[in-house]
Amino acid sequence: MTSLADPLRLGLLTARNRIVFGPHETNLGRRRAISERHVAYYRARAAGGAGLVVTEEASVDGSDWPYERAPLAAECEAGWGEVAAACHAEGALVIAAIGHSGGQGSSAYHQQALLGPSSVPDVVTREIPKAMEAADVEAIVGAFARAAASAVAAGADGVEVSAGQWSLLRQFVSSLTNRRDDRYGADHLLLVEETLASVRAAIPGAVVGLRASCDELAPWAGIVPETAAKHLVRLASYPRGPLFDYVTVVRGSGYATWATRPDAHTPAAFNAELAASIRGALPASVAVVCQGSLVEIDEAEALLSAGKADAVEMTRAQIADPELASKIVSGRRDRVRPCVLCNQLCQVRDVRNPIVACIGEPRSGHETTDPDPLALAAPPAPSVRSAPAAKAVIVVGAGPAGLECARVLAHQAREVVLFEREDSLGGMVTRAAARVPGRERLASLVGWLENECRLAGVTIVSGHELTLEELDMHDGPVVCCTGSRPGRRQYEVVAPGAAVMAADLLAAERLPGAGGPGPAVVWDPAGGPVGVGVAELLAALGDRVVLATPDFVAGAELARSGDLVPANTRLARAGVEVARHSVVRGVDGSGVTVEDRFSGSRQVIAGAVLVDAGYRLPEDSLARALAASLPPGSVQLAGDVVAPRTIHEAILEGRRAALRLAGAR
Amino acid sequence: MTSSLRYPLLFSPIRIGPVTLRNRLVFSAHLTNYAEDGLPTAQHAAYYAARAAGGAGLIITEEHSTHATDWPYEKLIHGYQPAVLPGYRRITAAVHRHGTPIFAQINHNGGQASGMYTRLPVWAPSAVADPLFREVPHAVDEAEIEEIVAGYATVARHCKEGGFDGIELQCSHSSIVRGFLSPATNLRTDRYGGSLEGRARLLLELLQTVREAIGPELAVGVRLCGDELIEGGITIDEAVGVAEMVERQGCADYVNTSIGVATATLYMIEASMHVPPGYASFIPSAMREAVRLPVVGVGRFKDPLQAERALAEGHCDLVGVVRGQIADADFTRKARAGRAESIRLCLSCNQECVGRMGLNRWLGCIENPLTGRESAPLPSAPAEPPAAPSAPATAPAPPARAAPGALRGTRRLVVVGAGPAGLQAAIAAASRGCQVTVLERTGETGGCIRLAARVPNRAEIGDLVRNQLRECAELGVEIELGLEADLEEVLSRKPDAVIVATGSRPAVPPWAAAVPPGKVVDVRAVLEGTAEPSGEVLLVDELGFHQATSVAELLADRGASVEIVTPGMVVGQDLGITLDLEGFMMRSAAKRIACSTDRVVMGVDASGVTLLHHPTGVEETRRVDWIVLAVAPEPEDALYRALKEAAPVCSLQRVGDCVAPRRAHAAVIEGARAGGTV
């Protein structure tokens, strides 16, 4: 039986294991080049044991500029070389992803017409590409070969050609977009075949991979798994040998861009059967890599042992824990920081150019600026003046900020006592966030933090609200991670009308007041996962639910994680009414009054309870009291107590507080 | 008539503290996204220098941030870093070369930001989340306020060292100072909150500090918001009160004004053509009655006459003209020379200036292909548009008007199609010495733009054509109307080069092809007047821009009952980019235009139109009198193909919608590139 730790043959080369760090957008580039930030990012995964590192897809020529920092092959050679050198030194193979986005690109940067097989507008941008002329097609085939040659000359072990979701090659294969009347219309696979053949010829002996959308989720005209299998068989049975050494099976098209790398609302390992069908059709001479929310190690292992795939792309899992592969190989699976599939920071196709990062591992993407918190774990050499033993640290509040702070401090060999008012740890994550449908995995992150704290020797005292008097007796640093409290109400509440905070509702899992569920209005000025999730929970109870949003769509902020379209679809299917561009004015005995922002017209949702998914305020009473009684600088604050935000800021600031204390030892 | 007679007030000098301006036209502060790694670039210098050369009385740069906690958008200038100095000197030297004073705007955006780039908490007077950034800020304590004040002093010193003539404190639409001034965002109970005096305390401290940091040689001004247009926000009376406090304090030399909050009511700050020029003049007007300091008025002043009138009517002492000088860097020079007719008038379309800012892209202009490329070297006439440029912020530059690449000997160019692409190609080629003839099939120039200008309150988009025709006339371009140019016609003219700009034609979706003709029409037919839908009208929008929404308004105004359906999640989605969506929502509510999203047309039969609500799979039927289509058109490329097939007797290029139907900026840029490389 094949296991994740087994070597993988790819053409003439062998990867040390079957764990792949797949290609993805990072915004780490400098202009359109692979940067030193990329090098550090990939090196960390190679050092963490990845078998194969596939770099961020580079456009094969200047007619493609899909996002501002999209790498361009002509500017990547030096960067590819540095990535290859860095990762080879750590034992990983390096593959350069190359591609062309075609009609799914952007004309905003080069201000030229997009290229596509036909004049069919992109579903998302509605932009119409230029239907490529024969010379355009020929140029693209040549550009692929040149980019491949450049990557391999730089030191890469091969290339991965994109016929995935965002790709010109897929657009040629698909009848959704290919309406040509020339030979590329008669044979939709021809361009892929010609491209792979020319890439093969350009890099003899190197690995050629193919990223292929094998299900466009648009069966009326799109690629379906059966056609994908036939296509791949044809490419693998090319007269002069297979045109690719491995294929990474993905899904999605312009009609379902979200479906390629969805968040946790989609079950993990969703491509397992798709990959298995491709594996079953192809000869053993080519490898099949499964992609798609592979974050559970057992699940990935099972895929291989069942022969459904030969390797797994565990990309987000390695963003969350760069050492995933080495922990798997060395039998430390229980120590892997889990990926919770939130897509909150690692999905970066966003015009603001955010840098790839991770809520649980804020150093990801920031390897060149952030210290590795555990690399300092060895106590420093005694200074000239023999320092007294560092004083114990009290961390107040065991939400993600407090847990991360305690974890890092304990790794610095500091004595840490972590106090939590509630019986269970995890703060708002456990009590509220992880109770939102589709966000349950968040609990595993605080579970991991708790376990790491215990292993590192943190003393945890839960179910105890620390008083100022108790803290007075403590002679050492205090880190205040006391979280948040309900925010201000921007509307009137007149009894018997009732308003409840979303966090309290999630903690209680039922509406207050009336005997059972009744109509509810969820007021969501934030547009994040909470408002949508609470509406879904309430709708599942069967009564009328209205989600009131100031925006034009529900969950407007979910665009970043890719859940915007799915969330609105779920709400529609659940029968949730969305009061768009609206504000809540008040709740009283007759119900909840909702006002349209533009027309000013009001409606009353009869008998409804108001659920407020709005902003919260810092729970800073302890911090203020301490600041008043202790010398300046002796209290550190982290997370929501500074300003209520997300898990990311909590963990980042918890870690920073620990590192500051460690530095101030 | 000379300008002194036409615009006597506009071209009278004025003193701003220690600085004397030669005229009253201000290129006010606005974002450009030209910064790189937090520093000003050569593009900044070239951009401002072009407006200085064009005669602007005063240039005020985009904001320079005063503190590391402030980084709301990626391409912000980090004024608090000493590394900005070389860039500052480059800008001020380039502008001073033309004898124009330049001020720097300095600012901290406060709570109107997120921690995306800083990875730090956002600072604000109170923990009130901004409606756009949606991040709860940290309410600053007094030590942090001191840090903010110190940051302003640092940046003020940098500006002085960098050669600026003055400093403007942005306290108006996106600023921590605005945050403190506004009762909507300042809930403090300490001495920095409460009364207007308390809320203005930070502003006055900053002014005092900045003045102390730079001494008397530089001008100092404040930009104040006269009405935030938000619930519980600043309105005109309080704003005037603040201006009076500023004057009383004695540190400031002028007051600039604005309207709206950048993160809540931006559509009124950078108003589109739907909002009348001078709409914000009540603000400087009220302030000018209360203070003796010179007051700057802003608000969609698009020609010198409007600006002159604002001065004559006493609304303000200076006039901010930003978009007007983005569209035509020589706005002021032309007005002064009495050639106001030659000004390339801004359309207030917001497509490539404002519209690109929110998308983190460099500032451009729909009709001025040089805007945003002032620093780019001229290309060496490639046959095809070159591949992606190596410069970050720029695509291949079209040649300048007075092109150094002027041709030796005359070349005959035939341009087919007098839409924006064809006319721009003609302009670019004629300015290089080509003899240009434009052949147009219809009786009118302007292509789709002419049609777009026929709807209520969209007439100004037609200025694009007016401006192009003006340039064509000045350059001696011949335009022949009503001539269908086929292969023979084109070849018979024995051109050295042909540029095909034949545009696009309406497409008929498969489901509509089955319907008997008559009651299913394209928006173009409505605008051309060949169809007059009435009664119940279903407008099918697959474009998401003005095509559907403006025709819906036109038909509703004529008494039709209109529903817009779109497969997208929002009707008129891209109007959001140009700040037209809010206005459309208000007007469509008043005109009872129904907006239905997430629906695709499945077919039409005797029972009506079948729509599929795709998220749920539920089918609906509409019984309507007319169906109007705003769907993707097809390129009209037959002539291009025919010319290509015919032996290559001459150089052949195609531009604009006949390549791929897109928006006007693409047509203009491609026209400029092609005409510049004939």
Side-chain angles (χ1 to χ4, degrees), chain A residues 346-401:
Chain A
C346 60
Q347 191 133 286
V348 296
R349 187 171 276 217
D350 181 304
V351 292
R352 294 169 293 179
N353 302 339
I355 286 174
V356 68
C358 174
I359 62 164
E361 172 47 307
R363 185 169 182 259
S364 288
H366 297 273
E367 285 82 1
T368 56
T369 54
D370 287 14
D372 178 348
L374 304 194
L376 311 164
S383 60
V384 182
R385 290 192 302 152
S386 67
K391 290 169 180 170
V393 180
I394 285 186
V395 178
V396 189

Side-chain angles (χ1 to χ4, degrees), chain B residues 167-206:
Chain B
I167 286 171
E168 178 174 288
L169 274 60
Q170 200 254 83
C171 315
S172 44
H173 44 267
S174 179
S175 168
I176 199 163
V177 189
R178 181 208 70 80
F180 270 87
L181 286 172
S182 174
T185 42
N186 183 343
L187 310 180
R188 299 175 75 96
T189 52
D190 67 356
R191 62 200 183 102
Y192 288 94
S195 66
L196 187 60
E197 283 69 26
R199 285 180 274 130
R201 186 177 309 279
L202 176 65
L203 166 58
L204 298 178
E205 286 182 7
L206 291 171

Side-chain angles (χ1 to χ4, degrees), chain B residues 378-386 396-400 403 405-407 411 413 424-432 434 496-499 651-655 669-678:
Chain B
L378 292 166
S380 55
E384 287 287 276
L407 297 161
R411 291 201 194 160
L413 169 67
Q424 199 69 36
I427 291 164
S431 67
R432 294 171 67 239
C434 281
D496 299 308
V498 177
I499 294 177
S651 124
L652 172 67
Q653 300 186 73
R654 62 170 162 160
V655 293
I669 286 171
E670 285 178 2
R673 277 187 201 139
T677 54
V678 165

Side-chain angles (χ1 to χ4, degrees), chain A residues 48-86:
Chain A
L52 196 65
V53 169
V54 189
T55 55
E56 181 166 3
E57 181 179 317
S59 299
V60 293
D61 77 10
S63 63
D64 184 41
W65 196 340
Y67 50 99
E68 189 172 5
R69 301 224 192 111
L72 175 64
E75 294 179 24
C76 285
E77 190 156 327
W80 278 329
E82 287 166 36
V83 172

Side-chain angles (χ1 to χ4, degrees), chain A residues 464-502:
Chain A
H464 179 80
E465 178 147 17
L466 203 59
T467 63
L468 211 50
E469 291 70 39
E470 287 172 296
L471 272 172
D472 267 350
M473 322 226 302
H474 168 64
D475 173 31
V478 177
V479 184
C480 206
C481 305
T482 45
S484 66
R485 61 188 167 88
R488 295 178 201 93
R489 287 173 172 163
Q490 306 281 339
Y491 45 81
E492 265 195 319
V493 181
V494 179
V500 57
M501 294 295 159

Side-chain angles (χ1 to χ4, degrees), chain B residues 351-365:
Chain B
Q351 285 180 224
E352 298 299 296
C353 52
V354 172
R356 288 177 66 93
M357 289 305 93
L359 297 171
N360 191 19
R361 295 167 182 157
W362 47 274
L363 179 132
C365 175

Side-chain angles (χ1 to χ4, degrees), chain B residues 411-417 425-426 434-439 485 489-501 639 643 650-653 678:
Chain B
R411 291 201 194 160
R412 293 177 52 82
L413 169 67
V414 168
V415 176
V416 185
C434 281
Q435 185 189 329
V436 184
T437 305
V438 181
L439 309 179
E489 173 68 37
V490 173
L491 295 181
S492 74
R493 293 176 180 251
K494 305 209 180 323
D496 299 308
V498 177
I499 294 177
V500 177
L639 178 65
L643 282 164
C650 61
S651 124
L652 172 67
Q653 300 186 73
V678 165

Side-chain angles (χ1 to χ4, degrees), chain A residues 209-413:
Chain A
L210 175 66
R211 194 171 194 81
S213 177
C214 297
D215 187 350
E216 290 191 295
L217 304 175
W220 61 91
I223 300 163
V224 295
E226 296 72 31
T227 38
K230 277 187 212 146
H231 286 160
L232 291 168
V233 167
R234 175 176 146 195
L235 298 171
S237 328
Y238 198 65
R240 275 166 284 168
L243 285 175
F244 59 90
D245 300 307
Y246 74 89
V247 59
T248 301
V249 174
V250 300
R251 69 174 192 179
S253 66
Y255 280 95
T257 52
W258 60 269
T260 306
R261 196 177 130 167
D263 75 3
H265 288 87
T266 300
F270 56 84
N271 274 337
E273 295 315 311
L274 183 61
S277 73
I278 300 296
R279 176 64 281 170
L282 285 176
S285 55
V286 296
V288 172
V289 182
C290 184
Q291 172 273 354
S293 298
L294 289 171
V295 292
E296 301 286 352
I297 297 162
D298 294 345
E299 216 162 31
E301 191 88 277
L303 269 176
L304 299 193
S305 58
K308 292 180 176 177
D310 304 297
V312 286
E313 251 190 18
M314 299 184 75
T315 306
R316 282 176 284 178
Q318 291 176 86
I319 298 174
D321 192 338
E323 297 178 345
L324 171 86
S326 63
K327 285 177 180 172
I328 291 174
V329 171
S330 66
R332 292 179 293 142
R333 294 178 180 208
D334 55 331
R335 303 296 299 277
V336 171
R337 182 192 290 106
C339 165
V340 296
L341 291 173
C342 67
N343 278 356
Q344 196 173 312
L345 294 179
C346 60
Q347 191 133 286
V348 296
R349 187 171 276 217
D350 181 304
V351 292
R352 294 169 293 179
N353 302 339
I355 286 174
V356 68
C358 174
I359 62 164
E361 172 47 307
R363 185 169 182 259
S364 288
H366 297 273
E367 285 82 1
T368 56
T369 54
D370 287 14
D372 178 348
L374 304 194
L376 311 164
S383 60
V384 182
R385 290 192 302 152
S386 67
K391 290 169 180 170
V393 180
I394 285 186
V395 178
V396 189
L403 285 166
E404 173 70 4
C405 182
R407 178 185 83 94
V408 173
L409 278 170
H411 275 284
Q412 316 293 334

